[in-house]
Amino acid sequence: MIHWLNSPASETQITHARRLWLYALSIVIMLLLVAPTLIVIPMSFSDSQYLEFPPETWSLRWYRHYFGSPEWMAATATSLKAAFLTMLVATPIGVLAAYGLHTSSIRYGRLALALLITPMMVPLILVAVGAFYVYVKLKIQYTLLGLVMAHSLLALPLVVLVVGSALKSFDLNQELAARSLGAPRWKAFVTVTLPQIRFAVTTSALLAFLTSFDEVVVAMFVSGGDNATLTRNMFNALRDQIDPTIASISTIMIIVTTVLMVLALTFGKAKDPG
Amino acid sequence: MSGTAVETHEDGLRHDARRERWALFGLSSPALILVLVILIIPVGWLFYLSFIGADGQFSLENYQRMVDRKSYRRIFETTFQVSLITTGLCILIGYPLAYFLSQLPNRIAGLCLITVLLPFWTSLLVRTYAWLVLLQKRGLVNTWAMDLGLWDEPIKMVHNLTGTLIGMVHIMLPFLVLPLYGSMRAINRDYLKAASNLGASPTRAFWTVFFPLSGPGLFAGSLIVFVLCLGFYVTPAVLGGGKVIMVSMKIASNIELFVNWGAASAMGVVLLLLTMLILWVASRFLRLEQLAGSGHG
Amino acid sequence: MSQDESPHPAADALPITIRGVTKTYGAVHALNEVSLDVRSGEFLTLLGASGSGKTTLLMVLAGFTRPDRGSVKFGETEIIRTPPHLRGVGMVFQNYALFPHMTVDGNVGYPLRLRRVPAQQAQERIEQALETVQLGGFGGRQIDQLSGGQKQRVALARAIVFEPRILLMDEPLSALDKKLRDRMQIELRDLHDTLGMTTVYVTHDQREALTMSDRIAVINHGRLMQLDDPTRLYERPANRFVADFIGDSMFVPVRRRGDSVYHGDTALTLSDPIPEADALLLLLRPERLQVLDDDPDPAMNRFAGTVSNLVYQGDSYLLYAQLTDSVEIALRGMTRRDTLDTLPKVGDPVTIGVHADDTLLIADED
């Protein structure tokens, strides 16, 4: 232990001992980063209105309340539907766009990419308000269609960037080879390129799903009535009082999100062939 | 070979080239149409609306209001204050963490990075809610602090500026740490070896070599955090308890409660222009892909 | 015009007719009114430096680069506007471009699947193609298990399995080490002789071109500099660029006076007529030079100079001599056991001779 403390920690030969404060501080910060999220999980099993930690009495009360409530269940269904549809819409559109950008001239590609990234740059409240305005005019306010379109807009940049980056490290000569062997462009893409970027496509599909599922601000303005999303209802509940049911919903959301992200990461880490 | 005996197919080739260009453009057109219809046109419309006064005629009264009315000025002040303080705190807390991570061997760093990524992926709402629960009067922080004897009476840490700041720092931290970590990792270790070799003490080597090299990453990360804070809605709305009013919240209330599109859109335009300006500055220091790669949710 | 036919022109090999092909990128001419004929069944190499346009021309033949204007015919058929997948040419890429998510069988069978060849027949043809490139039995291997040379052969097998009548190759050997490359050059040439398809081969390595080709097209800045068989290209370069590019060359400035060409005050003995140009250069090749004694041979052109350097290279040696007009030339000879003793030393006067037949004049144009 002493030996380690006195050993050099970096190129400047500073010892671990002199850096101990940094290590301690960093560990505290990391704990503070994860703790709030994780603490919600055991707290959701607390029986009391005030959600103690550690829970004095363990119970599934708030879960029962969640699953037993028609409003919450309807909202959850809406969120899941919207997320799923967003994934189905944003992924193909984004993949095609990424491919189109990649194979077109540099000038056009840069311009189009900048345009496709804008949903990430514009403050979310403006996207929400703008969509709200247009939807009222088009009379698709509070519909699933409107919600999916808005969420697809938000997910699109992610798909384009993730798939675009995979295409960049892909050897496009393989497509040329396939075409020289007799495959028209679309067939070459489907039989040669697509199988090799499938991990990027899957990852971006999952990201699209999560983007929609977690989204609050746009959903607040664009979903409502029968089509209110889970996040919208949660937000409204939060503004009024601390409804402990939200703890159980949060736990479920944390687990769902983590599972999906782990899936996405393992796909991403598993090196694309070739 | 005479020109008339051999065809040169110039027109045909040009036609083929144009057709191919359009076909490839067609691939990205659904995406571009989506962006156009749901983003560009509505925002453009808002831009237009900001110049329409209460009487339906062209006017600058919406912008004038922001300058004249004290309540509006205060909202902008609050927004800037919160954003600046949050960014500052993120830098103070995030820089040491990023530095620590960058010094770890790759695999361990990857594991520790999960502690940054996990909250990053977790729903915004869930994280905000977690702080709401933790900071309330009978919440964990107060209970434990009183048990440890830090203070006697529960301190009001939520539904005020304090709660808002705590929540926002927690949410914004990954946005600073991730690009900063990336840029620190990219710093060539040989520079530090050279500094040591030339006689610099570890502290001196850090401040004169490492820190300046991490500058661009730090600057870009800070700008991202600042810009996100400016437009932030959820966390201040929940943790501020109505006492901390940011621009985004005013825009929302202007529409939800007052249906005052003129006022809302004017604020929106100002917010948008500020955001674009700051992002443009950041893009000079950090490439577009890295910027977007760290943003999600 | 020599009548060099390739050994076994296949009955269905196609000739390629290229006329006036031009491709510009902005102000840069990648190809500038290129016209040439590839004979049926011949092995023709496009030789040039990077950026010369040779790869661009190959890509035009393949259909991946669309020229601004021109005409390309395979046999009688105009194909300049035909999309790449309908041209029926086999192509081997520089980095092989094999499909890593398929096995060797999968790769080689790909063109057959596209053509809906029934599975049984396809399997036979795949095996046959692999045998031809000496990879019999490799069908089940994964691409990442193969060595560079093996990958190259798979790429080749894939390109010939559907029996194309034209084969295009883009510097296929440049990624291999020297020994393998030398061997593959011979194998590729043998393969061409066996299969008899018209082959267009791109390389920047002039030695490779000289080894493998029936004819070589030297390309520079998008223009065709000379199209000839290797011997004529080496012995009778048409211009300075070709002379410089092929083989080692030295240029000595000379002057025309009346009907003769003078180096300094000495008239040169020539075997060929003097080219019609104002400025002339004398082209000398190091291996055609000799150290002369005093015995005057009327067929030899003599250059007096001083030995400036002597470099031993194992199988050969280089003797550098500075001529009276300060031009330095090098002479290459093969070494024997006692060579170094018999050669003049550095600083000695020396007379370098070159036979009139090897005294070449080139127009010094810019």
Side-chain angles (χ1 to χ4, degrees), chain C residues 28 96 114 218:
Chain C
V28 178
Y96 323 126
L114 287 172
V218 181

Side-chain angles (χ1 to χ4, degrees), chain B residues 10-185:
Chain B
E10 204 160 349
D11 294 328
L13 287 167
R14 219 200 335 256
H15 170 257
D16 291 341
R18 201 177 305 140
R19 252 222 340 228
E20 188 170 32
R21 260 202 304 271
W22 279 106
L24 288 175
F25 174 76
L27 288 177
S28 38
S29 51
L32 289 172
I33 293 175
L34 188 66
V35 173
L36 207 69
V37 169
I38 313 266
L39 186 66
I40 308 293
I41 294 181
V43 170
W45 199 257
L46 288 178
F47 197 78
Y48 163 74
L49 279 181
S50 69
F51 291 106
I52 304 288
D55 52 0
Q57 304 297 331
F58 177 87
S59 115
L60 288 174
E61 68 187 44
N62 295 314
Y63 290 97
Q64 199 63 35
R65 189 185 302 118
M66 290 193 291
V67 179
D68 294 338
R69 289 239 217 118
K70 207 165 105 170
S71 60
Y72 275 84
R73 283 209 305 272
R74 240 226 320 259
I75 291 172
F76 276 99
E77 272 168 28
T78 312
T79 307
F80 268 95
Q81 257 178 28
V82 170
S83 305
L84 275 170
I85 300 177
T86 306
T87 308
L89 288 173
C90 280
I91 294 177
L92 284 175
I93 302 176
Y95 194 94
L97 179 63
Y99 180 68
F100 168 71
L101 291 174
S102 72
Q103 301 290 297
L104 292 173
N106 261 313
R107 249 177 336 151
I108 305 186
L111 282 168
C112 289
L113 215 55
I114 302 220
T115 62
V116 179
L117 291 173
L118 189 64
F120 191 55
W121 302 330
T122 318
S123 164
L124 186 54
L125 218 42
V126 168
R127 281 182 280 167
T128 308
Y129 172 70
W131 281 113
L132 191 60
V133 169
L134 287 174
L135 295 174
Q136 60 179 312
K137 271 221 181 101
R138 285 188 54 163
L140 210 58
V141 177
N142 267 319
T143 325
W144 278 6
M146 290 198 292
D147 283 346
L148 289 171
L150 288 176
W151 52 79
D152 304 319
E153 301 255 321
I155 301 185
K156 186 165 158 85
M157 286 183 290
V158 80
H159 293 307
N160 59 11
L161 185 64
T162 316
T164 309
L165 285 174
I166 295 177
M168 286 188 74
V169 169
H170 184 243
I171 294 187
M172 293 300 166
L173 212 51
F175 286 101
L176 182 80
V177 171
L178 289 173
L180 190 55
Y181 169 73
S183 97
M184 282 177 171
R185 269 267 180 233

Side-chain angles (χ1 to χ4, degrees), chain C residues 316-330:
Chain C
S316 57
Y317 64 87
L318 281 172
L319 185 147
Y320 289 85
Q322 189 135 35
L323 301 182
T324 45
D325 58 357
S326 302
V327 173
E328 195 180 49
I329 59 175

Side-chain angles (χ1 to χ4, degrees), chain A residues 19 33 43 108 133 185 238, chain B residues 20 25 45 99 129 170:
Chain A
R19 273 194 177 178
L33 274 172
M43 283 168 91
Y108 165 74
Y133 190 78
R185 214 186 184 123
L238 280 183
Chain B
E20 188 170 32
F25 174 76
W45 199 257
Y99 180 68
Y129 172 70
H170 184 243

Side-chain angles (χ1 to χ4, degrees), chain A residues 9-14 18-19 21-23 25-27 29-30 32-40 43 48 50-54 89 93-94 96-101 103-104 108 112-127 129-135 137-138 146 149-150 152-153 156 158 160-161 168 179 185 207 210-211 214 216-217 220-221 230-232 234-235 238-239 241-247 249-251 253-254 257-258 261-262 265, chain B residues 20-21 24-32 34-43 45-46 49 92-94 96-97 99-101 103 112-119 121-134 136 138-140 144 159 169-170 173-174 177 189-190 192-193 195-196 200-203 205-206 227 231 233-235 237-238 248-249 251-253 255-256 261 264-265 267-269 271-272 275-276 279 287-289 291-293 295-297:
Chain A
S10 88
E11 284 74 19
T12 56
Q13 305 301 309
I14 189 172
R18 282 182 59 187
R19 273 194 177 178
W21 65 270
L22 176 68
Y23 300 164
L25 178 64
S26 304
I27 294 178
I29 298 175
M30 288 196 288
L32 284 178
L33 274 172
V34 252
T37 318
L38 294 181
I39 269 189
V40 172
M43 283 168 91
S48 113
Y50 290 104
L51 298 172
E52 307 124 354
F53 179 81
V89 169
I93 291 183
L96 284 177
Y99 183 73
L101 253 65
T103 50
S104 58
Y108 165 74
L113 181 67
L115 203 63
L116 290 174
I117 302 288
T118 41
M120 274 182 145
M121 307 282 163
V122 174
L124 214 46
I125 185 73
L126 289 180
V127 179
V129 163
F132 175 68
Y133 190 78
V134 168
Y135 287 175
K137 283 239 156 34
L138 294 176
M149 283 205 294
S152 298
L153 173 82
L156 194 62
L158 285 171
V160 171
L161 286 173
K168 245 183 271 198
R179 288 165 71 193
R185 214 186 184 123
L207 286 177
L210 279 179
T211 303
D214 286 346
V216 186
V217 185
M220 258 198 38
F221 279 88
L230 187 60
T231 43
R232 184 185 202 272
M234 281 172 77
F235 181 73
L238 280 183
R239 273 205 289 204
Q241 22 94 225
I242 307 178
D243 183 353
T245 318
I246 300 187
I249 307 178
S250 300
T251 308
M253 284 180 81
I254 293 175
T257 313
T258 312
M261 281 315 288
V262 166
L265 266 193
Chain B
E20 188 170 32
R21 260 202 304 271
L24 288 175
F25 174 76
L27 288 177
S28 38
S29 51
L32 289 172
L34 188 66
V35 173
L36 207 69
V37 169
I38 313 266
L39 186 66
I40 308 293
I41 294 181
V43 170
W45 199 257
L46 288 178
L49 279 181
L92 284 175
I93 302 176
L97 179 63
Y99 180 68
F100 168 71
L101 291 174
Q103 301 290 297
C112 289
L113 215 55
I114 302 220
T115 62
V116 179
L117 291 173
L118 189 64
W121 302 330
T122 318
S123 164
L124 186 54
L125 218 42
V126 168
R127 281 182 280 167
T128 308
Y129 172 70
W131 281 113
L132 191 60
V133 169
L134 287 174
Q136 60 179 312
R138 285 188 54 163
L140 210 58
W144 278 6
H159 293 307
V169 169
H170 184 243
L173 212 51
V177 171
R189 303 300 180 104
D190 286 346
L192 292 169
K193 283 191 207 161
S196 268
S201 69
T203 320
F206 174 80
V227 135
Y233 181 73
V234 176
T235 308
V238 172
S248 54
M249 293 162 64
I251 295 177
S253 65
I255 296 192
E256 284 179 318
W261 284 94
S265 44
M267 295 184 81
V269 168
L271 180 62
L272 181 64
T275 306
M276 291 290 150
L279 282 178
R287 285 184 42 226
L288 198 65
E289 287 85 52
L291 236 160
H296 151 63

Side-chain angles (χ1 to χ4, degrees), chain C residues 47-261:
Chain C
L47 176 66
S50 327
S52 57
K54 60 191 193 301
T55 307
T56 312
L57 184 58
L58 196 76
M59 290 297 164
V60 168
L61 293 178
F64 295 124
T65 299
R66 193 178 285 109
D68 299 334
R69 59 177 179 276
S71 157
V72 176
K73 290 195 184 154
F74 291 168
E76 297 296 312
T77 323
E78 175 69 61
I79 51 88
I80 193 130
R81 292 180 65 186
T82 315
H85 68 280
L86 295 175
R87 292 200 180 190
V89 296
M91 187 152 182
V92 180
F93 292 80
Q94 193 170 11
N95 61 352
Y96 323 126
L98 295 175
F99 309 140
H101 61 300
M102 299 180 195
T103 59
V104 169
D105 268 341
N107 270 272
V108 179
Y110 187 79
L112 299 177
R113 288 198 295 280
L114 287 172
R115 290 162 174 77
R116 301 190 202 279
V117 173
Q120 178 84 332
Q121 213 183 88
Q123 196 53 39
E124 281 169 17
R125 289 170 71 174
I126 295 172
E127 272 159 26
Q128 198 173 55
L130 287 175
E131 289 284 346
T132 312
V133 300
Q134 287 157 30
L135 279 184
F138 269 67
R141 300 272 183 107
Q142 295 291 336
I143 300 300
D144 57 7
Q145 295 174 322
L146 302 173
S147 71
Q150 289 166 337
K151 282 188 193 161
Q152 211 254 22
R153 291 170 206 256
V154 174
L156 201 47
R158 185 178 66 178
I160 61 171
V161 73
F162 60 102
E163 287 162 19
R165 295 155 78 180
I166 294 175
L167 187 61
L168 304 175
M169 298 206 251
D170 184 10
E171 305 202 57
L173 305 181
S174 58
L176 303 174
D177 62 71
K178 182 158 179 18
K179 265 216 165 101
L180 194 53
R181 207 180 326 150
D182 289 342
R183 205 179 64 202
M184 287 304 299
Q185 282 171 12
I186 302 176
E187 278 191 37
L188 280 179
R189 179 67 218 209
D190 287 342
L191 190 74
H192 166 262
D193 293 341
T194 312
L195 296 174
M197 54 185 71
T198 311
T199 303
V200 180
Y201 188 94
V202 163
T203 184
H204 63 273
D205 183 342
Q206 43 111 1
R207 202 169 271 286
E208 193 166 274
L210 291 169
T211 308
M212 302 172 75
S213 329
D214 291 326
R215 286 193 305 162
I216 303 174
V218 181
I219 315 254
N220 184 39
H221 291 320
R223 276 184 221 270
L224 179 62
M225 293 275 114
Q226 186 173 354
L227 171 59
D228 248 323
D229 60 75
T231 315
R232 285 181 74 90
L233 216 60
Y234 192 84
E235 301 290 341
R236 300 275 176 271
N239 49 58
R240 177 169 187 162
F241 179 80
V242 176
D244 205 2
F245 199 81
I246 310 261
D248 293 329
S249 28
M250 294 162 296
F251 298 100
V252 180
V254 294
R255 235 166 332 126
R256 178 209 289 268
R257 255 191 256 155
D259 283 331
S260 305
V261 179

